[in-house]
Amino acid sequence: MRGLLLLAALSLAAAEDGLDAWLRYAQLPQDVIKQATVPSGIVALNSTETSPVYVAGKELQKGIKGILDKSLNITHEANRSPSVVVGTIAAFNDSGISIETPELEEDGFWLSIKGEKVEIVGQNERGALYGAFEYLSMLAQANFTEVAYATNPSAVIRWINQWDNMDGTIERGYAGPSIFFKNNALVSNVTRVAQYARLLASIRVNGIVINNVNANAQILSDANMAGLAKIADAMRPWGVKVGISLNFASPQTLGGLNTFDPLDKSVIAWWTKITDKLYDHVPDLAGFLVKANSEGQPGPLTYGRTLSDGANLFAKAVKPHGGIVMFRAFVYDNQHLNEKSWKDDRANAAVEFFQGLDDKFDDNVVVQIKYGPIDFQVREPPSPLFAHLKQTASAIELQVTQEYLGQQCHLVYLPPLWKTILDFDLRVDGEKSVIGTDILSGKRFNKKGLTGYAAVVNVGQNVTWLGSHLAMSNLYGYGRLAWDPTVNEVEILEDWTRLTFGLDDTVRETITRMSMESWPAYENYTGNLGIQTLTDITGPHYGPNPQSMDNNAWGQWTRADAFSIGMDRTVKNGTGFAGQYPAEVAAVFEDIETTPDDLLLWFHHVPYTHVLKNGKTVIQHFYDAHYAGAETVATFPAQWAQLDGLIDQQRFDETAFRLTYQAGHAIVWRDAINDFYHSLSGIADARARVGKHPWRIEAESMALRGYRVTSVTPFEAASGRRVVQSDSVSGTTSASASVKLTFAAGRYDVAVAYYDMYEGRASYELYLNDAKVGSWVGDNEDRLGYTVTRAVDGHSATRATFRGVDVGEGDVLRVEGRADGREMAPLDYVAVLPPGVVD
Ligand code: GCW
């Protein structure tokens, strides 16, 4: 028996924690290894330990050992044995190895695999390292084909923006504290920083801004400059340059000047001096990122100067050092937008603020534009600003951080969303102007050779980097698309899955299928038809709260009333936003007939009874989509269960937990949004599901002991608008809610809907006729990284499900809840679900 158990344990893959992400170099099966032709040694044409080529040599050694179980020696001089040789074009030439490569661009490389001879030639050191990672990626996927090709990046800027605060917190961080900052200083232990740089190099990211765009001027203190130098030293061998975000008011707040006017001589002198000093510490600093005059941040407009005056101030300071300034287009006034005015529109802000400035920016300024005109919503049209900056260098800002997209607790694979933007043809001046291949590549306009990509990423100390194993496909996908925006999103996923979880077909097919279903499902159960995510925009941006979108100056309005919904952004009758696009595109969005359904409510204000191109009314589409979305993710736990034993237990269990949570939270979303619009419009669901839950028993209707009934805000965050909460304080007696079941005897799944808040770990027990079915603790704050709240609301709403429970007619079901801290063991309902019913 013992022996058997041991064997079983050995045959399971060793537990993995996710730290190595897609760079695991897991050993291939012996029969597969046999098919590989392995070079007899490694030649890295640079012997300086901090050079990317040296690092590439080490990485090749590590990878080949891991994947093929072959130990190879590294030398730094060319020799006659058939080796894998890695170096720059210049180094190849110097060492007398004749190579014939097509023209390579900055960071590009040539990869040639012929028998035991492998040549990896970089245009620069970074390119050589990228080529080494490419070769290893092929080996790890058991791809032993002979190849000879060159690849060049679509754009020179491929950056990450961390929104890390100096106190170690991360704005919109869901994976633990910062790996860069602690206690208002840069960290001294840079182990994770170097590991991160390795991951970034493998996806060809070449720059990172490490502090929040809501920047703290203290980043420029002497001590912090020294700390920054250490970070840069840790990332440099991986070809990743470091940059920082600046606070526009620093000359005043840090420098003690009485102004931060960008045209003031003392201000210019201050920035010049501080920049020179920074470059003394970090000679290859990538540059600065600036958020100005946005959401309360200071900027040039404070002094009646233009945005270009502001950007050029920094551009001039970094110019002599070869640095660039990423100046964010996310400029809007969140104080003075007024929903009462039909023409007010936050979406108009970027183009309006940058109007007339196209020829005003210095050469080394890059305007960084969020993909959509509002803010990383589940669906947006592309920012029209991409069509307006013809002379100014520009970059797109994407968000790997799932701020409005489930905060890494929901699986949402983002490349398909990004592709709706990258593949969009803006038809500037009537000519093909696809955002990815024409505009961001710098081919369509004279962009001064500077274009590209930035992604907001919230990597934290969590060993999985993003808090979720599956969320990592978004970081990987970002790098792949920034290099080549035409690469197919399924291909990206399949590569990532093989690298992350191994070569099993079921694993690859399952993860690919779920991931490809995930964004459409998320859109279905959150906000449809271009109405935005419908989350709590004044709070955590996580759970449902549609009414938070309106009646405030944030400008993410839906203009929903009892009869109609949507933003009229037409020129003829609305905010005029549609007219910011080039003529051909403007015409499509101006006309309700040609506006695609999925952006209908972005551009038009219509009655709930408006009939869509798919034949449904707007309101019925809302209802149906929400049911469909929740049903799709309800299949995720079962899809994932197929992988039990095919991947390691640790990542299997951690992911199973999140997918089960997501399935429950999707029902929270579904019911909240449907109840809200049902109550607002008074229009019934044609399929009679909304507000009807035949398998549900509301907690407030159960026999209660020690529980009292309370209402919730927003009302739609609770089934039946009410919940029960324990009367007893933390740790004392438990409260109970019980009910005699009247369902026919049979096997059911029993779900308990409850709320899991911050600062409290209430415990629960579920009984059937005094026999315990199961127990759980409200400890999501320890297990999931989303922005937790202290309230009974759409963020804290969650479910515990017990599958396959035998229920007899007349059985008494009882939930016991024990309060802890602020968490008064809140219960919403119990659902006794026949197989296949999602409710
Ligand atoms: O969407 C908003 C976020 C803020 C963020 C801001 C920005 C860093 O909610 O957290 O601030 O966008 O992009 O500047």
Side-chain angles (χ1 to χ4, degrees):
M1 189 65 203
R2 234 194 145 152
L4 264 181
L5 272 178
L6 243 178
L7 261 181
L10 277 178
S11 71
L12 274 181
E16 295 195 44
D17 57 14
L19 184 68
D20 285 324
W22 53 82
L23 297 179
R24 296 152 57 245
Y25 303 142
Q27 195 178 315
L28 294 173
Q30 281 305 328
D31 55 322
V32 179
I33 290 183
K34 279 198 201 107
Q35 300 159 28
T37 317
V38 197
S40 57
I42 297 164
V43 180
L45 296 174
N46 193 334
S47 57
T48 308
E49 288 189 13
T50 51
S51 76
V53 165
Y54 183 93
V55 166
K58 292 294 245 189
E59 194 69 20
L60 287 164
Q61 186 180 47
K62 179 176 179 179
I64 291 169
K65 172 74 191 138
I67 300 163
L68 302 174
D69 194 24
K70 293 268 153 51
S71 304
L72 302 188
N73 286 330
I74 306 175
T75 59
H76 299 287
E77 312 262 309
N79 56 46
R80 275 171 206 287
S81 60
S83 306
V84 40
V85 189
V86 59
T88 60
I89 305 179
F92 268 84
N93 289 335
D94 287 352
S95 64
I97 309 175
S98 76
I99 40 160
E100 265 182 54
T101 66
E103 183 113 6
L104 294 175
E105 292 161 23
E106 190 179 324
D107 295 351
F109 63 87
W110 160 264
L111 174 64
S112 159
I113 306 174
K114 214 182 271 158
E116 291 172 41
K117 249 180 84 182
V118 179
E119 286 170 358
I120 304 169
V121 187
Q123 186 270 353
N124 54 17
E125 291 249 340
R126 205 183 277 128
L129 176 58
Y130 296 168
F133 276 119
E134 172 98 335
Y135 174 55
L136 289 171
S137 169
M138 288 176 68
L139 292 184
Q141 297 182 65
N143 176 355
F144 306 132
T145 40
E146 300 204 330
V147 297
Y149 63 86
T151 174
N152 290 306
S154 75
V156 295
I157 299 167
R158 302 178 308 279
W159 286 19
I160 298 289
N161 293 175
Q162 293 276 146
W163 287 352
D164 294 26
N165 297 314
M166 297 197 46
D167 64 3
T169 60
I170 300 179
E171 182 152 350
R172 314 298 171 189
Y174 318 119
S178 172
I179 63 168
F180 294 100
F181 297 97
K182 197 180 169 179
N183 298 333
N184 297 310
L186 279 301
V187 294
S188 50
N189 179 344
V190 293
T191 310
R192 284 297 295 270
V193 171
Q195 287 168 341
Y196 189 26
R198 171 174 174 253
L199 283 184
L200 295 181
S202 74
I203 53 170
R204 306 174 196 172
V205 164
N206 59 6
I208 181 168
V209 175
I210 63 170
N211 62 319
N212 192 352
V213 287
N214 293 326
N216 183 337
Q218 285 299 330
I219 187 85
L220 300 170
S221 75
D222 288 351
N224 289 330
M225 284 194 195
L228 202 61
K230 219 175 152 192
I231 301 286
D233 289 347
M235 302 193 102
R236 187 176 299 108
W238 300 97
V240 181
K241 285 190 186 185
V242 170
I244 57 170
S245 297
L246 296 180
N247 185 303
F248 207 88
S250 304
Q252 195 175 67
T253 52
L254 183 71
L257 304 186
N258 59 10
T259 176
F260 55 89
D261 179 350
L263 300 189
D264 182 280
K265 282 211 180 69
S266 65
V267 170
I268 297 170
W270 190 85
W271 279 116
T272 308
K273 202 169 147 212
I274 207 108
T275 304
D276 291 346
K277 198 159 149 193
L278 254 173
Y279 275 88
D280 284 345
H281 284 91
V282 186
D284 58 352
L285 189 82
F288 297 143
L289 172 63
V290 183
K291 171 178 180 178
N293 293 112
S294 168
E295 303 185 333
Q297 292 296 321
L301 305 179
T302 315
Y303 292 93
R305 310 301 185 189
T306 64
L307 295 175
S308 48
D309 290 335
N312 295 343
L313 166 73
F314 306 114
K316 292 197 165 55
V318 291
K319 179 88 181 173
H321 306 284
I324 64 175
V325 175
M326 304 289 282
F327 195 81
R328 293 179 93 219
F330 186 64
V331 180
Y332 73 103
D333 181 354
N334 64 299
Q335 302 297 317
H336 299 104
L337 284 163
N338 179 6
E339 193 168 356
K340 297 227 161 56
S341 154
W342 191 250
K343 304 232 175 237
D344 260 22
D345 189 358
R346 168 169 161 189
N348 284 339
V351 167
E352 283 173 4
F353 275 108
F354 284 81
Q355 204 79 57
L357 299 180
D358 191 27
D359 58 352
K360 300 283 189 296
F361 289 98
D362 283 5
D363 283 0
N364 56 337
V365 174
V366 181
V367 173
Q368 181 173 314
I369 308 169
K370 284 191 184 184
Y371 63 77
I374 297 276
D375 196 11
F376 301 135
Q377 297 301 297
V378 68
R379 179 158 327 242
E380 296 192 43
S383 168
L385 190 57
F386 290 114
H388 290 254
L389 300 180
K390 299 179 181 174
Q391 300 179 50
T392 313
S394 62
I396 193 169
E397 184 175 312
L398 303 172
Q399 201 185 34
V400 168
T401 294
Q402 290 174 236
E403 177 181 352
Y404 290 93
L405 293 147
Q407 306 198 345
Q408 284 124 264
C409 300
H410 291 227
L411 166 64
V412 183
Y413 177 59
L414 297 170
L417 182 166
W418 298 336
K419 282 254 177 184
T420 65
I421 308 292
L422 296 176
D423 292 348
F424 195 98
D425 186 351
L426 281 167
R427 306 292 306 164
V428 185
D429 301 327
E431 278 178 46
K432 180 169 150 301
S433 311
V434 175
I435 292 179
T437 48
D438 297 316
I439 295 182
L440 297 174
S441 66
K443 291 197 181 116
R444 177 72 178 81
F445 302 113
N446 168 20
K447 292 283 196 177
K448 302 166 178 167
L450 276 180
T451 51
Y453 295 74
V456 178
V457 178
N458 57 2
V459 149
Q461 280 180 27
N462 187 288
V463 74
T464 67
W465 298 99
L466 290 176
S468 147
H469 300 291
L470 295 187
M472 291 292 276
S473 59
N474 290 325
L475 180 55
Y476 179 84
Y478 165 68
R480 292 284 300 266
L481 286 171
W483 187 268
D484 176 5
T486 67
V487 56
N488 178 278
E489 60 267 39
V490 173
E491 192 183 315
I492 295 173
L493 256 177
E494 293 190 328
D495 287 349
W496 174 80
T497 306
R498 279 186 288 254
L499 296 170
T500 304
F501 290 107
L503 304 186
D504 185 275
D505 287 340
T506 308
V507 172
R508 192 189 69 253
E509 284 159 14
T510 304
I511 293 178
T512 302
R513 188 183 336 105
M514 284 191 332
S515 301
M516 288 305 292
E517 288 171 353
S518 63
W519 170 58
Y522 188 82
E523 180 180 36
N524 274 341
Y525 64 75
T526 61
N528 316 124
L529 306 175
I531 198 64
Q532 307 171 72
T533 305
L534 297 180
T535 187
D536 190 337
I537 64 139
T538 58
H541 298 184
Y542 184 61
N545 191 350
Q547 61 270 59
S548 74
M549 317 269 301
D550 291 286
N551 302 312
N552 58 50
W554 290 102
Q556 291 187 222
W557 305 322
T558 70
R559 291 194 185 280
D561 61 23
F563 309 100
S564 53
I565 185 168
M567 283 291 287
D568 185 341
R569 292 190 159 110
T570 61
V571 175
K572 56 178 175 297
N573 188 45
T575 71
F577 169 77
Q580 289 189 346
Y581 290 96
E584 287 173 57
V585 176
V588 169
F589 291 142
E590 179 75 16
D591 184 350
I592 197 163
E593 292 304 321
T594 49
T595 303
D597 280 351
D598 54 27
L599 286 170
L600 180 81
L601 302 180
W602 185 283
F603 286 103
H604 303 279
H605 184 86
V606 299
Y608 293 109
T609 51
H610 174 85
V611 179
L612 301 168
K613 293 185 185 56
N614 68 16
K616 293 179 186 178
T617 61
V618 164
I619 192 76
Q620 193 58 40
H621 179 90
F622 267 36
Y623 296 152
D624 291 352
H626 281 82
Y627 280 93
E631 262 160 39
T632 301
V633 298
T635 70
F636 285 1
Q639 292 194 54
W640 186 255
Q642 302 297 310
L643 309 190
D644 197 359
L646 299 179
I647 64 170
D648 61 286
Q649 202 62 40
Q650 182 171 348
R651 291 186 301 167
F652 175 81
D653 289 342
E654 287 168 357
T655 304
F657 174 75
R658 277 178 190 248
L659 293 173
T660 302
Y661 167 80
Q662 177 177 12
H665 201 226
I667 294 173
V668 171
W669 264 101
R670 179 196 79 180
D671 292 348
I673 300 298
N674 282 346
D675 284 352
F676 178 77
Y677 288 103
H678 180 225
S679 129
L680 190 62
S681 69
I683 301 175
D685 168 21
R687 292 172 62 188
R689 296 155 300 183
V690 175
K692 301 202 167 58
H693 305 282
W695 307 101
R696 237 179 232 190
I697 303 141
E698 295 294 335
E700 58 271 25
S701 72
M702 293 166 77
L704 304 176
R705 188 182 48 76
Y707 263 127
R708 74 201 142 83
V709 178
T710 64
S711 55
V712 299
T713 309
F715 73 82
E716 69 275 15
S719 184
R721 302 190 174 199
R722 285 178 305 163
V723 302
V724 302
Q725 301 201 60
S726 171
D727 274 332
S728 342
V729 289
S730 179
T732 57
T733 51
S734 58
S736 82
S738 59
V739 63
K740 189 170 179 168
L741 300 175
T742 54
F743 304 112
R747 184 160 284 189
Y748 294 86
D749 291 340
V750 179
V752 181
Y754 66 105
Y755 299 82
D756 193 338
M757 290 113 87
Y758 183 54
E759 292 177 351
R761 290 163 187 81
S763 49
Y764 301 85
E765 287 167 351
L766 174 68
Y767 292 91
L768 205 55
N769 289 341
D770 294 326
K772 195 161 167 183
V773 177
S775 63
W776 70 98
V777 176
D779 60 356
N780 279 348
E781 62 269 55
D782 305 325
R783 310 182 70 182
L784 294 167
Y786 66 86
T787 311
V788 279
T789 60
R790 298 192 165 97
V792 169
D793 57 23
H795 320 292
S796 58
T798 184
R799 310 213 319 180
T801 304
F802 299 89
R803 303 212 173 269
V805 181
D806 287 319
V807 175
E809 197 172 336
D811 280 359
V812 174
L813 182 148
R814 187 172 89 250
V815 184
E816 300 260 341
R818 194 178 287 268
D820 181 65
R822 292 165 180 269
E823 200 168 273
M824 306 309 284
L827 291 177
D828 188 6
Y829 62 83
V830 175
V832 181
L833 302 163
V837 173
V838 178
D839 195 30

